[in-house]
Amino acid sequence: MSDLAISNKIRELRFFADEMTQQELAELVGVTRQTIMAIEKCKYSPTLELAFKIAEIFGQSIDEVFQYKSN
């Protein structure tokens, strides 16, 4: 199975947010660290609700955090 068509800038955004850990982000949005890790590695696409929550944490719009590439 190939990587998903949705990529993201979560790792970069965490770094610029005082090097926020995956665990800290997970707790803020109500998921596990493993979920955040899978999303960052483009192995899992978040729900729309979760994507909005993540974007909100970083004060970004959803399209600044997540990018979609059609095949």
Side-chain angles (χ1 to χ4, degrees), residues 29 43 71:
V29 297
K43 302 294 183 193
N71 293 334

Side-chain angles (χ1 to χ4, degrees), residues 5 33 36 61:
R33 184 189 66 79
I36 297 298
S61 67

